[in-house]
Amino acid sequence: MSQAPTLHFVPNLDSSSDFDALVVVLSVADLAEDFPGKDVAALAKTVDKKVGASLTIHHAPSVPGSRLVICYTGLLTRDVDDVRRYAEAVKPAIARANAAGAIAPLIYFPSKPTDSSYEKLVEVSLLAAYQDLYVNLQGREFNPSLETVQKLGFNAPWINQETGDNIATVVSAIEKGKRLGRDLGGPDPERMAPPKFAEYVKNAFENVPGVKLSIIEDQEVLRKEYPLLHSVARADNLVPRHHARVVRIEYTGEGEIEQTLLLAGKGVTYDCGGVDVKVGGSMHGMSRDKCGAANVAGFVLTTALLKTKNVKVIAELGVVRNSVGADSFVSDEIIVGHSGVRVRIVNTDAEGRLVLADCLSHLLIDAKQSPNPKMFSMATLTGHAVNAWGPYTALVENGPSKKLGLSRSIQEVGESWGDAFEVSSYRREDVLPGDVTHDVVQHMAGKPRGHQFAAGFLMIASGIAKHGRESTQPIPYVHLDIAPSATENMDNVNGKPTGCTVAALTAKFLL
């Protein structure tokens, strides 16, 4: 895995000779803030009113590389404004500096708003710069020179050396996790077929302290231990390069373990819908259906790189391909999951929840014997979440999680880190009773609560439902539907993978 540009806090702009462009991020209009090269910008503004109010570039001998890029966040005080205004300003600015030939841009923040919701503006801006500079894995493998920027610098008058170095450490770790998520989530169905996906994860964690990784590749073991997941993979039995994998990653921090985070990730490397085949061009982009597992892997990597103490993280990635073949699973089948719950199949294009249910069932065993467990699932699971919430990750939680205010706290932290969420409720309409032949129905076609129902299914099919508020051993559980947020602009075909949720989960549980 190639490395992202290195990140450096530059405490004194007089010592910025190693950089070749200055990107100034203004939050006040009309050049009211002080910054290096302001005299050049003021002169330019006499002939161009856009200077200081939009993205411009200037020749300024007093700044690094004589390249001065100015961007403006726009208003920050309206009800709809949040820290993402900085991200939206910095992304095109860093792209402009790169296009001008800069390979070591330095980002400068002259001032910060008094509103505490902008406290993480520097971190959010730096992560936005990395998002813009990222080049898809297959692009880099074909042409390694596509990523030209070698390092990033940053400076802000209110940040001292210790704080700046800490920001650089945290942002670098988050970006490495997000980068792994993008590298796994973006490539085509063959480059990241299940065996290659597992191999890439294994290589990413090689020699990372505190991490233990194992891969289940024996198809007979998967059939017995992950029967719902294996049902999705049945059509691939005759194609070894598409054989399913389950990747298990464990990180154990130093010291007494105070909390245990258990995450299941959906890694469907290609989803044609199975026998309920996708039609009308809707199959295009379904190689991105593995972003849940990809981002879970990224989060674990960030955890390990930060050397987080007193925490244990256990992740299971269900990596399969949902194909059509003579042995495909079909609707009306009743399959007994690892939890012992009988699942009636309604639609083979709702395969992701089957993959997750078995992984969650295995993680539940760990949760029941771990200190302070919190369980999560992450998946590009439903188009309904996109229709309901637009570009925002949907959170659906069980009773114990709601009692802790877990989803709301994730949402609040995510807001400050530019990693936004919407919270949905789990209600009685999201449970469809079974009968003598089955315990739960896999899919509820044509109903208005699609992503909530999917989360409810996961709770029942995995056995988590037995650990609700009334249980003697309640276990908090949150499902994260990242179908809206896994790629830029909700574009599964052309949008870059985002590595969404890694920043918010890191800030919530690790910092």
Side-chain angles (χ1 to χ4, degrees):
M1 182 172 67
S2 62
Q3 299 301 309
T6 57
L7 182 60
H8 309 269
F9 173 63
V10 180
N12 189 336
L13 291 179
D14 293 334
S15 61
S16 58
S17 58
D18 290 341
F19 296 87
D20 60 5
L22 185 70
V23 177
V24 177
V25 187
L26 301 179
S27 59
V28 182
D30 298 322
L31 301 179
E33 299 161 281
D34 290 327
F35 59 90
K38 182 175 179 178
D39 55 336
V40 172
L43 182 61
K45 191 173 179 64
T46 63
V47 295
D48 183 0
K49 294 181 179 180
K50 288 287 188 179
V51 176
S54 64
L55 176 60
T56 55
I57 186 168
H58 312 272
H59 177 258
S62 63
V63 306
S66 298
R67 298 183 181 97
L68 174 63
V69 179
I70 301 174
C71 62
Y72 173 49
T73 62
L75 295 176
L76 299 174
T77 56
R78 297 166 297 185
D79 288 353
V80 295
D81 294 323
D82 59 55
V83 73
R84 290 175 299 160
R85 294 289 184 196
Y86 278 89
E88 291 158 1
V90 168
K91 281 184 67 178
I94 211 73
R96 185 65 185 89
N98 190 17
I103 61 172
L106 171 62
I107 305 175
Y108 179 66
F109 305 89
S111 65
K112 68 174 180 177
T114 57
D115 188 331
S116 61
S117 66
Y118 292 96
E119 187 66 29
K120 298 298 180 183
L121 70 89
V122 172
E123 291 92 331
V124 171
S125 297
L126 294 171
L127 289 171
Y130 276 120
Q131 176 70 24
D132 178 80
L133 294 172
Y134 175 79
V135 175
N136 184 285
L137 173 66
Q138 284 177 282
R140 303 197 313 269
E141 289 176 336
F142 183 77
N143 183 359
S145 65
L146 287 175
E147 284 189 318
T148 56
V149 172
Q150 299 173 4
K151 65 179 179 178
L152 287 173
F154 67 98
N155 174 280
W158 67 90
I159 297 178
N160 60 29
Q161 183 75 58
E162 182 180 359
T163 301
D165 289 344
N166 182 64
I167 289 173
T169 297
V170 170
V171 170
S172 295
I174 292 174
E175 171 55 25
K176 287 175 182 176
K178 288 166 70 76
R179 186 176 177 90
L180 175 60
R182 297 188 202 105
D183 278 358
L184 291 166
D188 74 42
E190 291 298 328
R191 176 61 186 87
M192 280 299 165
K196 291 184 177 180
F197 184 105
E199 180 184 15
Y200 200 86
V201 174
K202 180 181 178 181
N203 291 338
F205 283 93
E206 192 172 15
N207 300 321
V208 176
V211 172
K212 182 171 69 173
L213 185 144
S214 59
I215 300 171
I216 301 176
E217 57 184 54
D218 188 313
Q219 301 303 294
E220 185 60 23
V221 172
L222 291 176
R223 185 184 68 81
K224 292 179 179 178
E225 294 294 323
Y226 296 82
L228 294 171
L229 180 153
H230 184 264
S231 69
V232 178
R234 274 179 6 204
D236 301 316
N237 282 343
L238 297 178
V239 187
R241 73 177 190 278
H242 294 164
H243 278 181
R245 297 287 189 269
V246 170
V247 182
R248 183 179 171 95
I249 317 169
E250 297 182 38
Y251 167 80
T252 305
E254 293 182 2
E256 183 179 355
I257 300 302
E258 298 174 356
Q259 70 171 337
T260 310
L261 308 177
L262 306 103
L263 303 95
K266 170 190 171 184
V268 176
T269 61
Y270 195 71
D271 180 18
C272 75
V275 170
D276 288 295
V277 66
K278 293 180 183 291
V279 296
S282 61
M283 206 182 299
H284 195 195
M286 282 298 104
S287 59
R288 304 293 182 85
D289 213 12
K290 55 192 181 299
C291 286
N295 293 358
V296 167
F299 172 68
V300 182
L301 180 60
T302 293
T303 306
L305 293 175
L306 289 173
K307 300 178 181 178
T308 311
K309 297 180 179 180
N310 309 116
V311 66
K312 183 167 187 174
V313 180
I314 307 174
E316 288 213 357
L317 317 178
V319 192
V320 303
R321 177 173 168 132
N322 188 21
S323 300
V324 178
D327 196 25
S328 292
F329 77 118
V330 297
S331 60
D332 295 343
E333 285 190 43
I334 297 172
I335 303 171
V336 181
H338 175 263
S339 65
V341 173
R342 300 169 299 167
V343 175
R344 179 182 174 186
I345 305 300
V346 175
N347 190 314
T348 64
D349 197 19
E351 82 298 330
R353 62 197 71 183
L354 303 176
V355 173
L356 288 172
D358 276 341
C359 292
L360 285 169
S361 178
H362 281 267
L363 290 171
L364 182 59
I365 297 172
D366 297 295
K368 288 190 285 188
Q369 53 194 16
S370 298
N372 191 17
K374 297 177 180 68
M375 296 187 68
F376 305 87
S377 55
M378 191 182 304
T380 48
L381 202 61
T382 67
H384 182 268
V386 179
N387 294 334
W389 293 125
Y392 303 106
T393 298
L395 300 173
V396 189
E397 63 189 342
N398 69 352
S401 175
K402 188 174 183 179
K403 186 176 180 179
L404 287 177
L406 196 52
S407 285
R408 291 294 178 187
S409 64
I410 292 172
Q411 182 187 40
E412 183 178 347
V413 170
E415 194 79 8
S416 66
W417 280 78
D419 196 357
F421 299 81
E422 298 287 1
V423 178
S424 298
S425 296
Y426 173 50
R427 302 194 182 278
R428 59 192 177 198
E429 290 85 359
D430 304 323
V431 178
L432 204 59
D435 61 22
V436 295
T437 64
H438 61 277
D439 302 307
V440 65
V441 173
Q442 167 229 19
H443 181 63
M444 186 169 59
K447 299 296 182 181
R449 295 182 59 82
H451 74 276
Q452 297 98 323
F453 180 88
F457 168 84
L458 288 172
M459 295 180 207
I460 296 169
S462 66
I464 291 174
K466 296 177 181 178
H467 295 271
R469 289 184 302 179
E470 77 287 358
S471 168
T472 57
Q473 191 179 15
I475 296 176
Y477 164 70
V478 182
H479 171 62
L480 299 88
D481 193 332
I482 64 169
S485 54
T487 55
E488 292 180 338
N489 304 315
M490 300 179 288
D491 184 352
N492 285 338
V493 177
N494 299 307
K496 288 182 186 179
T498 61
C500 61
T501 77
V502 173
L505 294 179
T506 298
K508 168 62 182 172
F509 296 108
L510 309 180
L511 301 182

mmCIF file of all heavy atoms in Angstrom, residues 181-215:
data_model
loop_
_atom_site.group_PDB
_atom_site.id
_atom_site.type_symbol
_atom_site.label_atom_id
_atom_site.label_comp_id
_atom_site.label_asym_id
_atom_site.label_seq_id
_atom_site.Cartn_x
_atom_site.Cartn_y
_atom_site.Cartn_z
ATOM 1 N N GLY A 181 -9.415 2.129 3.707
ATOM 2 C CA GLY A 181 -10.810 1.954 3.331
ATOM 3 C C GLY A 181 -11.064 2.282 1.871
ATOM 4 O O GLY A 181 -11.781 1.563 1.171
ATOM 5 N N ARG A 182 -10.474 3.363 1.394
ATOM 6 C CA ARG A 182 -10.642 3.738 -0.020
ATOM 7 C C ARG A 182 -9.987 2.706 -0.940
ATOM 8 O O ARG A 182 -10.543 2.341 -1.989
ATOM 9 C CB ARG A 182 -10.031 5.114 -0.282
ATOM 10 C CG ARG A 182 -10.658 6.267 0.467
ATOM 11 C CD ARG A 182 -10.083 7.591 -0.035
ATOM 12 N NE ARG A 182 -10.228 8.658 0.925
ATOM 13 C CZ ARG A 182 -9.241 9.149 1.672
ATOM 14 N NH1 ARG A 182 -8.014 8.643 1.564
ATOM 15 N NH2 ARG A 182 -9.451 10.139 2.512
ATOM 16 N N ASP A 183 -8.779 2.269 -0.557
ATOM 17 C CA ASP A 183 -8.062 1.295 -1.389
ATOM 18 C C ASP A 183 -8.841 -0.010 -1.521
ATOM 19 O O ASP A 183 -8.820 -0.652 -2.583
ATOM 20 C CB ASP A 183 -6.686 1.001 -0.794
ATOM 21 C CG ASP A 183 -5.648 2.051 -1.151
ATOM 22 O OD1 ASP A 183 -5.978 2.993 -1.897
ATOM 23 O OD2 ASP A 183 -4.500 1.939 -0.671
ATOM 24 N N LEU A 184 -9.510 -0.423 -0.451
ATOM 25 C CA LEU A 184 -10.287 -1.660 -0.490
ATOM 26 C C LEU A 184 -11.637 -1.456 -1.156
ATOM 27 O O LEU A 184 -12.122 -2.322 -1.879
ATOM 28 C CB LEU A 184 -10.496 -2.180 0.936
ATOM 29 C CG LEU A 184 -9.270 -2.717 1.671
ATOM 30 C CD1 LEU A 184 -9.568 -2.875 3.160
ATOM 31 C CD2 LEU A 184 -8.830 -4.054 1.081
ATOM 32 N N GLY A 185 -12.242 -0.311 -0.913
ATOM 33 C CA GLY A 185 -13.604 -0.096 -1.392
ATOM 34 C C GLY A 185 -13.728 0.301 -2.846
ATOM 35 O O GLY A 185 -14.756 0.070 -3.467
ATOM 36 N N GLY A 186 -12.662 0.899 -3.415
ATOM 37 C CA GLY A 186 -12.778 1.467 -4.746
ATOM 38 C C GLY A 186 -12.542 0.542 -5.929
ATOM 39 O O GLY A 186 -13.228 0.660 -6.953
ATOM 40 N N PRO A 187 -11.612 -0.405 -5.863
ATOM 41 C CA PRO A 187 -11.228 -1.161 -7.057
ATOM 42 C C PRO A 187 -12.332 -2.045 -7.637
ATOM 43 O O PRO A 187 -13.346 -2.315 -6.985
ATOM 44 C CB PRO A 187 -10.049 -2.005 -6.566
ATOM 45 C CG PRO A 187 -9.467 -1.222 -5.457
ATOM 46 C CD PRO A 187 -10.655 -0.606 -4.771
ATOM 47 N N ASP A 188 -12.074 -2.512 -8.847
ATOM 48 C CA ASP A 188 -13.082 -3.278 -9.593
ATOM 49 C C ASP A 188 -13.269 -4.679 -8.995
ATOM 50 O O ASP A 188 -12.513 -5.100 -8.109
ATOM 51 C CB ASP A 188 -12.725 -3.333 -11.084
ATOM 52 C CG ASP A 188 -11.562 -4.256 -11.419
ATOM 53 O OD1 ASP A 188 -11.487 -5.376 -10.855
ATOM 54 O OD2 ASP A 188 -10.733 -3.895 -12.277
ATOM 55 N N PRO A 189 -14.268 -5.425 -9.472
ATOM 56 C CA PRO A 189 -14.615 -6.712 -8.840
ATOM 57 C C PRO A 189 -13.532 -7.775 -8.898
ATOM 58 O O PRO A 189 -13.523 -8.682 -8.063
ATOM 59 C CB PRO A 189 -15.861 -7.161 -9.617
ATOM 60 C CG PRO A 189 -16.400 -5.934 -10.243
ATOM 61 C CD PRO A 189 -15.226 -5.061 -10.532
ATOM 62 N N GLU A 190 -12.645 -7.695 -9.860
ATOM 63 C CA GLU A 190 -11.569 -8.684 -9.949
ATOM 64 C C GLU A 190 -10.357 -8.266 -9.129
ATOM 65 O O GLU A 190 -9.743 -9.093 -8.449
ATOM 66 C CB GLU A 190 -11.178 -8.919 -11.411
ATOM 67 C CG GLU A 190 -12.253 -9.639 -12.224
ATOM 68 C CD GLU A 190 -12.564 -11.035 -11.687
ATOM 69 O OE1 GLU A 190 -11.663 -11.696 -11.140
ATOM 70 O OE2 GLU A 190 -13.725 -11.459 -11.811
ATOM 71 N N ARG A 191 -10.012 -6.971 -9.179
ATOM 72 C CA ARG A 191 -8.860 -6.519 -8.386
ATOM 73 C C ARG A 191 -9.101 -6.740 -6.904
ATOM 74 O O ARG A 191 -8.157 -7.029 -6.143
ATOM 75 C CB ARG A 191 -8.595 -5.025 -8.657
ATOM 76 C CG ARG A 191 -7.467 -4.426 -7.800
ATOM 77 C CD ARG A 191 -6.149 -5.133 -8.060
ATOM 78 N NE ARG A 191 -5.075 -4.705 -7.170
ATOM 79 C CZ ARG A 191 -4.824 -5.229 -5.968
ATOM 80 N NH1 ARG A 191 -5.574 -6.218 -5.508
ATOM 81 N NH2 ARG A 191 -3.813 -4.795 -5.255
ATOM 82 N N MET A 192 -10.348 -6.600 -6.464
ATOM 83 C CA MET A 192 -10.665 -6.841 -5.059
ATOM 84 C C MET A 192 -11.688 -7.963 -4.911
ATOM 85 O O MET A 192 -12.620 -7.862 -4.112
ATOM 86 C CB MET A 192 -11.170 -5.567 -4.389
ATOM 87 C CG MET A 192 -10.073 -4.607 -3.993
ATOM 88 S SD MET A 192 -8.915 -5.326 -2.794
ATOM 89 C CE MET A 192 -7.565 -4.142 -2.923
ATOM 90 N N ALA A 193 -11.522 -9.033 -5.702
ATOM 91 C CA ALA A 193 -12.301 -10.243 -5.451
ATOM 92 C C ALA A 193 -11.995 -10.719 -4.029
ATOM 93 O O ALA A 193 -10.960 -10.361 -3.461
ATOM 94 C CB ALA A 193 -11.949 -11.317 -6.470
ATOM 95 N N PRO A 194 -12.879 -11.497 -3.410
ATOM 96 C CA PRO A 194 -12.706 -11.826 -1.989
ATOM 97 C C PRO A 194 -11.306 -12.272 -1.573
ATOM 98 O O PRO A 194 -10.770 -11.761 -0.576
ATOM 99 C CB PRO A 194 -13.763 -12.905 -1.760
ATOM 100 C CG PRO A 194 -14.868 -12.525 -2.687
ATOM 101 C CD PRO A 194 -14.171 -12.017 -3.932
ATOM 102 N N PRO A 195 -10.646 -13.207 -2.292
ATOM 103 C CA PRO A 195 -9.293 -13.593 -1.854
ATOM 104 C C PRO A 195 -8.297 -12.435 -1.896
ATOM 105 O O PRO A 195 -7.447 -12.319 -1.017
ATOM 106 C CB PRO A 195 -8.910 -14.700 -2.842
ATOM 107 C CG PRO A 195 -10.217 -15.254 -3.315
ATOM 108 C CD PRO A 195 -11.116 -14.069 -3.406
ATOM 109 N N LYS A 196 -8.404 -11.586 -2.918
ATOM 110 C CA LYS A 196 -7.472 -10.461 -3.031
ATOM 111 C C LYS A 196 -7.782 -9.382 -1.992
ATOM 112 O O LYS A 196 -6.866 -8.708 -1.481
ATOM 113 C CB LYS A 196 -7.516 -9.885 -4.448
ATOM 114 C CG LYS A 196 -6.930 -10.814 -5.499
ATOM 115 C CD LYS A 196 -6.898 -10.163 -6.866
ATOM 116 C CE LYS A 196 -6.244 -11.079 -7.897
ATOM 117 N NZ LYS A 196 -6.191 -10.459 -9.249
ATOM 118 N N PHE A 197 -9.054 -9.189 -1.688
ATOM 119 C CA PHE A 197 -9.449 -8.264 -0.630
ATOM 120 C C PHE A 197 -8.810 -8.704 0.687
ATOM 121 O O PHE A 197 -8.184 -7.900 1.399
ATOM 122 C CB PHE A 197 -10.975 -8.241 -0.522
ATOM 123 C CG PHE A 197 -11.532 -7.253 0.469
ATOM 124 C CD1 PHE A 197 -12.118 -6.083 0.029
ATOM 125 C CD2 PHE A 197 -11.506 -7.500 1.836
ATOM 126 C CE1 PHE A 197 -12.653 -5.165 0.932
ATOM 127 C CE2 PHE A 197 -12.027 -6.598 2.754
ATOM 128 C CZ PHE A 197 -12.612 -5.425 2.295
ATOM 129 N N ALA A 198 -8.960 -9.991 1.004
ATOM 130 C CA ALA A 198 -8.399 -10.518 2.252
ATOM 131 C C ALA A 198 -6.879 -10.372 2.279
ATOM 132 O O ALA A 198 -6.295 -10.021 3.316
ATOM 133 C CB ALA A 198 -8.803 -11.977 2.421
ATOM 134 N N GLU A 199 -6.256 -10.645 1.157
ATOM 135 C CA GLU A 199 -4.798 -10.534 1.080
ATOM 136 C C GLU A 199 -4.349 -9.088 1.294
ATOM 137 O O GLU A 199 -3.355 -8.830 1.982
ATOM 138 C CB GLU A 199 -4.314 -11.031 -0.283
ATOM 139 C CG GLU A 199 -2.805 -10.951 -0.469
ATOM 140 C CD GLU A 199 -2.370 -11.358 -1.867
ATOM 141 O OE1 GLU A 199 -3.241 -11.434 -2.768
ATOM 142 O OE2 GLU A 199 -1.169 -11.594 -2.062
ATOM 143 N N TYR A 200 -5.092 -8.137 0.734
ATOM 144 C CA TYR A 200 -4.729 -6.720 0.878
ATOM 145 C C TYR A 200 -4.845 -6.287 2.335
ATOM 146 O O TYR A 200 -3.997 -5.557 2.856
ATOM 147 C CB TYR A 200 -5.612 -5.855 -0.017
ATOM 148 C CG TYR A 200 -5.034 -4.490 -0.308
ATOM 149 C CD1 TYR A 200 -4.143 -4.304 -1.353
ATOM 150 C CD2 TYR A 200 -5.370 -3.383 0.465
ATOM 151 C CE1 TYR A 200 -3.600 -3.054 -1.627
ATOM 152 C CE2 TYR A 200 -4.835 -2.130 0.210
ATOM 153 C CZ TYR A 200 -3.948 -1.976 -0.839
ATOM 154 O OH TYR A 200 -3.400 -0.728 -1.096
ATOM 155 N N VAL A 201 -5.901 -6.745 3.004
ATOM 156 C CA VAL A 201 -6.063 -6.439 4.422
ATOM 157 C C VAL A 201 -4.906 -7.038 5.226
ATOM 158 O O VAL A 201 -4.316 -6.375 6.087
ATOM 159 C CB VAL A 201 -7.412 -6.959 4.953
ATOM 160 C CG1 VAL A 201 -7.509 -6.762 6.466
ATOM 161 C CG2 VAL A 201 -8.578 -6.266 4.259
ATOM 162 N N LYS A 202 -4.595 -8.266 4.937
ATOM 163 C CA LYS A 202 -3.490 -8.934 5.647
ATOM 164 C C LYS A 202 -2.187 -8.162 5.494
ATOM 165 O O LYS A 202 -1.465 -7.931 6.477
ATOM 166 C CB LYS A 202 -3.325 -10.363 5.112
ATOM 167 C CG LYS A 202 -2.201 -11.145 5.777
ATOM 168 C CD LYS A 202 -2.079 -12.542 5.173
ATOM 169 C CE LYS A 202 -0.919 -13.313 5.793
ATOM 170 N NZ LYS A 202 -0.781 -14.662 5.180
ATOM 171 N N ASN A 203 -1.888 -7.740 4.286
ATOM 172 C CA ASN A 203 -0.654 -6.994 4.040
ATOM 173 C C ASN A 203 -0.660 -5.642 4.750
ATOM 174 O O ASN A 203 0.380 -5.171 5.223
ATOM 175 C CB ASN A 203 -0.445 -6.797 2.539
ATOM 176 C CG ASN A 203 -0.133 -8.099 1.812
ATOM 177 O OD1 ASN A 203 0.316 -9.067 2.425
ATOM 178 N ND2 ASN A 203 -0.384 -8.134 0.518
ATOM 179 N N ALA A 204 -1.837 -5.011 4.821
ATOM 180 C CA ALA A 204 -1.937 -3.698 5.458
ATOM 181 C C ALA A 204 -1.621 -3.767 6.946
ATOM 182 O O ALA A 204 -1.121 -2.798 7.532
ATOM 183 C CB ALA A 204 -3.336 -3.122 5.243
ATOM 184 N N PHE A 205 -1.913 -4.903 7.577
ATOM 185 C CA PHE A 205 -1.699 -5.048 9.019
ATOM 186 C C PHE A 205 -0.404 -5.777 9.362
ATOM 187 O O PHE A 205 -0.122 -6.004 10.535
ATOM 188 C CB PHE A 205 -2.887 -5.777 9.657
ATOM 189 C CG PHE A 205 -4.091 -4.894 9.828
ATOM 190 C CD1 PHE A 205 -5.077 -4.847 8.849
ATOM 191 C CD2 PHE A 205 -4.231 -4.094 10.953
ATOM 192 C CE1 PHE A 205 -6.181 -4.027 8.991
ATOM 193 C CE2 PHE A 205 -5.337 -3.277 11.106
ATOM 194 C CZ PHE A 205 -6.314 -3.238 10.124
ATOM 195 N N GLU A 206 0.365 -6.107 8.356
ATOM 196 C CA GLU A 206 1.619 -6.809 8.607
ATOM 197 C C GLU A 206 2.545 -5.939 9.444
ATOM 198 O O GLU A 206 2.776 -4.762 9.141
ATOM 199 C CB GLU A 206 2.293 -7.174 7.278
ATOM 200 C CG GLU A 206 3.439 -8.139 7.425
ATOM 201 C CD GLU A 206 3.958 -8.618 6.084
ATOM 202 O OE1 GLU A 206 3.620 -7.990 5.056
ATOM 203 O OE2 GLU A 206 4.690 -9.613 6.055
ATOM 204 N N ASN A 207 3.025 -6.488 10.519
ATOM 205 C CA ASN A 207 3.960 -5.805 11.420
ATOM 206 C C ASN A 207 3.349 -4.625 12.170
ATOM 207 O O ASN A 207 4.087 -3.777 12.704
ATOM 208 C CB ASN A 207 5.207 -5.333 10.647
ATOM 209 C CG ASN A 207 5.962 -6.482 9.996
ATOM 210 O OD1 ASN A 207 6.091 -7.555 10.579
ATOM 211 N ND2 ASN A 207 6.446 -6.257 8.784
ATOM 212 N N VAL A 208 2.015 -4.531 12.219
ATOM 213 C CA VAL A 208 1.368 -3.490 13.021
ATOM 214 C C VAL A 208 1.233 -4.010 14.450
ATOM 215 O O VAL A 208 0.573 -5.021 14.673
ATOM 216 C CB VAL A 208 -0.010 -3.117 12.448
ATOM 217 C CG1 VAL A 208 -0.710 -2.106 13.353
ATOM 218 C CG2 VAL A 208 0.135 -2.554 11.036
ATOM 219 N N PRO A 209 1.841 -3.353 15.414
ATOM 220 C CA PRO A 209 1.828 -3.864 16.795
ATOM 221 C C PRO A 209 0.421 -3.962 17.372
ATOM 222 O O PRO A 209 -0.442 -3.126 17.111
ATOM 223 C CB PRO A 209 2.654 -2.813 17.559
ATOM 224 C CG PRO A 209 3.481 -2.140 16.527
ATOM 225 C CD PRO A 209 2.651 -2.138 15.278
ATOM 226 N N GLY A 210 0.213 -5.005 18.162
ATOM 227 C CA GLY A 210 -1.041 -5.153 18.878
ATOM 228 C C GLY A 210 -2.159 -5.801 18.087
ATOM 229 O O GLY A 210 -3.266 -5.958 18.606
ATOM 230 N N VAL A 211 -1.884 -6.199 16.843
ATOM 231 C CA VAL A 211 -2.939 -6.716 15.961
ATOM 232 C C VAL A 211 -2.737 -8.201 15.691
ATOM 233 O O VAL A 211 -1.622 -8.651 15.404
ATOM 234 C CB VAL A 211 -2.973 -5.946 14.625
ATOM 235 C CG1 VAL A 211 -3.935 -6.607 13.640
ATOM 236 C CG2 VAL A 211 -3.382 -4.496 14.862
ATOM 237 N N LYS A 212 -3.823 -8.943 15.781
ATOM 238 C CA LYS A 212 -3.846 -10.350 15.387
ATOM 239 C C LYS A 212 -4.875 -10.506 14.281
ATOM 240 O O LYS A 212 -6.013 -10.042 14.416
ATOM 241 C CB LYS A 212 -4.200 -11.239 16.580
ATOM 242 C CG LYS A 212 -4.195 -12.737 16.259
ATOM 243 C CD LYS A 212 -4.346 -13.577 17.517
ATOM 244 C CE LYS A 212 -5.705 -13.448 18.135
ATOM 245 N NZ LYS A 212 -5.924 -14.387 19.271
ATOM 246 N N LEU A 213 -4.492 -11.135 13.187
ATOM 247 C CA LEU A 213 -5.380 -11.250 12.026
ATOM 248 C C LEU A 213 -5.461 -12.704 11.574
ATOM 249 O O LEU A 213 -4.448 -13.398 11.531
ATOM 250 C CB LEU A 213 -4.883 -10.364 10.890
ATOM 251 C CG LEU A 213 -5.740 -10.268 9.628
ATOM 252 C CD1 LEU A 213 -5.674 -8.862 9.037
ATOM 253 C CD2 LEU A 213 -5.299 -11.278 8.564
ATOM 254 N N SER A 214 -6.666 -13.141 11.255
ATOM 255 C CA SER A 214 -6.850 -14.494 10.721
ATOM 256 C C SER A 214 -7.859 -14.440 9.580
ATOM 257 O O SER A 214 -8.728 -13.562 9.541
ATOM 258 C CB SER A 214 -7.339 -15.452 11.811
ATOM 259 O OG SER A 214 -8.571 -15.011 12.361
ATOM 260 N N ILE A 215 -7.727 -15.386 8.662
ATOM 261 C CA ILE A 215 -8.600 -15.443 7.490
ATOM 262 C C ILE A 215 -9.174 -16.846 7.361
ATOM 263 O O ILE A 215 -8.418 -17.826 7.351
ATOM 264 C CB ILE A 215 -7.832 -15.072 6.203
ATOM 265 C CG1 ILE A 215 -7.262 -13.647 6.297
ATOM 266 C CG2 ILE A 215 -8.738 -15.192 4.982
ATOM 267 C CD1 ILE A 215 -6.323 -13.288 5.159
#
